[in-house]
Amino acid sequence: SQQGEEDPQALSIQEGENATMNCSYKTSINNLQWYRQNSGRGLVHLILIRSNEREKHSGRLRVTLDTSKKSSSLLITASRAADTASYFCATDELTSGSRLTFGEGTQLTVNP
Amino acid sequence: DTGVSQNPRHKITKRGQNVTFRCDPISEHNRLYWYRQTLGQGPEFLTYFQNEAQLEKSRLLSDRFSAERPKGSFSTLEIQRTEQGDSAMYLCASSLRAGKNTEAFFGQGTRLTVV
């Protein structure tokens, strides 16, 4: 079953703009991970944020985690056309044995 | 290429036939996962192995599905008597269980179409 809910379901922006995607989840977690998926392809790991972390950066990516609200956000700054993809959050739940529970994803389109 | 490898990339089969997919994880990874993804949805967990032991199976994994990882290296996922509802992308991932917080690396997936 899907734990996460992602918002928005679809986002269309112009190149150079920032893109923000949100994820909410329901249970206690070890960590939350963000993945990218190009159409019809496998998932590429972007960033992992642990439950005791509040913010993490990697290049043009910034991830926040609020465990009290059970929510996370992914910010992509200075977007490029190549960032066009689906973005998924996935939670590693405390009781899961390390399987990931994915949200339904946000489809990001960056227009050149 | 030292990533997770899945074969075949695409499979078209007639309803009622059996299919088998293979996953070769990253060589030093001791955990291997299978997920299923339908169009417009996120991946859903099916099962995972630590070394050769199958530690967890989802309720999605009906008795027509079986997965093996005989020597703790590659894994196979077999679907018997396929149904049209089995059409999906089957994704394999592997990770190194070196602590609580480890990332999973995914293969390119096998897209199954049941006609």
Side-chain angles (χ1 to χ4, degrees):
Chain A
S1 63
Q2 301 285 339
Q3 157 155 249
E5 290 185 4
E6 283 160 279
D7 170 46
Q9 287 189 324
L11 180 61
S12 181
I13 59 174
Q14 296 300 122
E15 217 167 18
E17 294 180 340
N18 296 342
T20 300
M21 289 159 267
N22 302 297
C23 167
S24 61
Y25 59 93
K26 297 174 184 171
T27 64
S28 298
I29 61 173
N30 290 313
N31 62 71
L32 185 145
Q33 304 180 35
W34 285 90
Y35 286 83
R36 184 183 77 194
Q37 185 177 39
N38 290 88
S39 180
R41 308 293 296 273
L43 285 85
V44 174
H45 187 270
L46 295 177
I47 198 163
L48 180 154
I49 186 164
R50 302 178 184 186
S51 60
N52 61 353
E53 296 177 315
R54 292 296 165 259
E55 188 171 312
K56 205 160 182 182
H57 297 255
S58 176
R60 293 183 296 113
L61 306 180
R62 173 179 169 256
V63 167
T64 62
L65 179 65
D66 187 334
T67 52
S68 66
K69 295 182 179 177
K70 291 188 168 56
S71 68
S72 174
S73 68
L74 171 67
L75 168 68
I76 303 174
T77 59
S79 63
R80 305 166 183 169
D83 294 330
T84 295
S86 292
Y87 291 82
F88 294 93
C89 69
T91 51
D92 178 354
E93 299 166 20
L94 275 179
T95 57
S96 74
S98 278
R99 62 171 159 81
L100 295 173
T101 304
F102 285 82
E104 294 189 354
T106 293
Q107 172 61 50
L108 173 66
T109 302
V110 181
N111 301 298
Chain B
D1 186 351
T2 57
V4 178
S5 176
Q6 291 189 248
N7 288 288
R9 291 291 308 279
H10 303 273
K11 178 71 177 178
I12 300 174
T13 191
K14 291 184 179 179
R15 192 176 50 179
Q17 297 293 306
N18 299 344
V19 293
T20 300
F21 311 140
R22 176 176 169 128
C23 171
D24 288 89
I26 294 172
S27 59
E28 64 269 24
H29 284 186
N30 54 3
R31 287 207 165 187
L32 185 148
Y33 309 80
W34 285 99
Y35 290 82
R36 181 174 70 186
Q37 185 180 26
T38 53
L39 200 61
Q41 300 293 313
E44 293 180 296
F45 171 80
L46 293 178
T47 188
Y48 92 90
F49 294 83
Q50 180 156 309
N51 301 313
E52 65 274 13
Q54 189 172 18
L55 295 186
E56 188 176 349
K57 291 196 291 186
S58 162
R59 287 171 293 177
L60 294 175
L61 212 66
S62 76
D63 56 6
R64 296 185 298 106
F65 287 70
S66 63
E68 294 183 345
R69 193 182 184 198
K71 295 181 180 179
S73 56
F74 73 92
S75 175
T76 57
L77 177 68
E78 181 182 17
I79 309 174
Q80 296 182 324
R81 305 181 302 282
T82 52
E83 302 172 356
Q84 285 188 319
D86 297 331
S87 295
M89 175 81 90
Y90 290 84
L91 294 162
C92 175
S94 69
S95 70
L96 181 63
R97 183 65 170 172
K100 266 190 181 177
N101 295 293
T102 54
E103 62 191 80
F105 293 85
F106 281 79
Q108 293 295 305
T110 294
R111 181 168 295 285
L112 173 66
T113 303
V114 182
V115 298

